[in-house]
Amino acid sequence: MSEAAGSIVAMDATRTTPPRPLDVTALFPELAPLARTATRLHPRPGAPSPHDSSVGGPLLWPADEPWPYCDGPHVGDGFNPALSPEDVRVQRRIRATVAGRPPGLPETARYTPEERATDQRISAGRPWPEGPIAMLPVAQVYVRDVPLLRPPGRAGADLLQVLWCPFDHPEHPRTALFWRSAATVTDVLDTPPEPPAVQFPDYLPEPCLLAPEQVTEYPHFLELGKEVQQQLQDWSRWRAAGDAVDDSYAVAPEEFYMDHLSVSPGWKAGGWSRWGLTDPLPRTCAACGTAAEPLLTIATTEWSGATESWAPEGDGARDPLPPGTPPANYTRIVLARGYDLQLHACPVSPDHPHVELVQ
């Protein structure tokens, strides 16, 4: 398969995206020069160490470097109780155990008395925090696993670390990015501080290992020029692909392009931005005005019903999820009622502020 056809270069054979239904550049040659490489990260539950690329795992953080804190404000939503990260972990374990018991048991019998008491104690909540709170590790990615992930002007930087404040600021968690050289970290911080509470349990990532895989992407339909958009909306152009295109898309063939051929779903580095919540918005660096480029997508789910063709195949690709977990939500993160948080970085300097985009 050619690169333009959406070729796949798998770094882990157990996480291989199926070939795209067709070579979209054969039908629409105008898309060929717009191809970009993205790296799907395929997070799956595991026990990462600071030396692994991970989501929600321990960071390779220098023991002599201050841990980042968020100054706030930190306000609850008025409905959900304040829970500590450990509260969330314990409650997840209890509820997964309960959900895995025989379904015929009555509700009162599914919990042991100890589990019921612990769950109720946690659900009562804690006081909302005051003052600065420690940020939570969200992801760290080594360049050895994602070679395209290199900051401009820092030849020795080979590790990206992402943390966030587990409170909305204002509509999603506030993120912080750190680039460093892994070889310079000889004394690792063993027990980093944690926030006394999180706004939502969904803001605490479940520790996951990554299985990076490169795929080819094309711009979202809304980022294309008017002429190419009109071509993609012309069903007669798609009919040349025969059975490779589902006839149910005849009314709106551009939806087939968006669902199966353009931007991959889930956690990824690089590639193109995904749109849907809004039309495309400018993503410019606040420091220099340069257009920011997609860096990392923090996703709620790895795929959905519309994008299930992107679900990886191979051994273990469809790992069983803990009972009660949303489909394809291995990290347990839910953002903005199911959307993604896309981080864009300035291509001029990694010291410039990054851009956060919910879509």
Side-chain angles (χ1 to χ4, degrees):
M1 180 185 289
S2 70
E3 178 72 13
S7 64
I8 308 299
V9 183
M11 299 180 185
D12 185 324
T14 65
R15 299 286 182 268
T16 304
T17 300
R20 297 300 81 211
L22 56 88
D23 178 357
V24 70
T25 63
L27 296 180
F28 306 96
E30 299 84 356
L31 293 172
L34 302 177
R36 285 184 184 175
T37 298
T39 302
R40 302 188 71 193
L41 301 180
H42 299 312
R44 296 296 186 276
S49 79
H51 303 284
D52 294 314
S53 293
S54 66
V55 168
L59 302 183
L60 189 78
W61 194 271
D64 60 354
E65 183 175 322
W67 189 262
Y69 279 70
C70 176
D71 292 332
H74 304 113
V75 181
D77 65 350
F79 299 99
N80 293 281
L83 306 182
S84 72
E86 186 58 23
D87 289 337
V88 175
R89 297 182 188 108
V90 171
Q91 196 168 61
R92 282 178 180 172
R93 288 196 295 267
I94 290 174
R95 293 185 176 180
T97 299
V98 170
R101 288 178 178 146
L105 291 174
E107 178 66 21
T108 55
R110 296 182 70 82
Y111 287 80
T112 67
E114 294 79 9
E115 290 168 343
R116 176 72 69 185
T118 301
D119 189 82
Q120 290 176 343
R121 174 185 58 78
I122 291 173
S123 297
R126 297 170 178 264
W128 290 104
E130 297 181 1
I133 66 169
M135 301 186 85
L136 276 174
V138 177
Q140 74 169 8
V141 184
Y142 284 86
V143 170
R144 66 170 186 259
D145 297 322
V146 185
L148 298 179
L149 195 67
R150 289 190 179 274
R154 289 195 186 175
D158 60 358
L159 177 60
L160 171 65
Q161 296 173 323
V162 182
L163 299 93
W164 69 19
C165 171
F167 283 78
D168 287 339
H169 294 280
E171 69 275 354
H172 57 75
R174 176 184 294 159
T175 56
L177 309 183
F178 296 86
W179 284 99
R180 66 177 77 252
S181 171
T184 65
V185 184
T186 56
D187 188 9
V188 181
L189 181 64
D190 289 330
T191 309
E194 288 196 323
V198 300
Q199 185 172 10
F200 305 110
D202 299 328
Y203 287 173
L204 178 69
E206 190 73 12
C208 289
L209 290 165
L210 307 182
E213 175 203 24
Q214 290 185 356
V215 299
T216 300
E217 293 188 345
Y218 300 94
H220 189 279
F221 175 78
L222 295 175
E223 289 208 82
L224 295 169
K226 185 63 67 177
E227 182 177 348
V228 179
Q229 286 184 351
Q230 291 174 346
Q231 293 175 6
L232 289 170
Q233 291 174 317
D234 183 355
W235 178 241
S236 65
R237 295 282 297 266
W238 292 94
R239 291 172 65 184
D243 293 340
V245 182
D246 188 339
D247 286 346
S248 66
Y249 285 93
V251 176
E254 70 276 13
E255 297 287 342
F256 182 83
Y257 171 77
M258 288 188 283
D259 289 346
H260 306 291
L261 302 172
S262 59
V263 182
S264 62
W267 284 73
K268 68 171 186 174
W272 284 94
S273 303
R274 178 175 291 278
W275 301 95
L277 186 60
T278 70
D279 287 344
L281 301 168
R283 289 89 70 206
T284 55
C285 173
C288 67
T290 304
E293 298 175 349
L295 176 68
L296 181 72
T297 296
I298 300 170
T300 293
T301 61
E302 286 299 284
W303 63 85
S304 65
T307 61
E308 193 170 359
S309 71
W310 292 92
E313 59 189 14
D315 294 340
R318 293 176 182 265
D319 300 301
L321 289 162
T325 305
N329 181 266
Y330 299 99
T331 66
R332 304 296 293 267
I333 289 175
V334 177
L335 284 159
R337 298 183 180 179
Y339 288 95
D340 298 342
L341 178 58
Q342 303 177 64
L343 307 183
H344 294 67
C346 176
V348 174
S349 172
D351 296 322
H352 290 178
H354 61 284
V355 178
E356 299 171 331
L357 174 70
V358 171
Q359 289 290 326

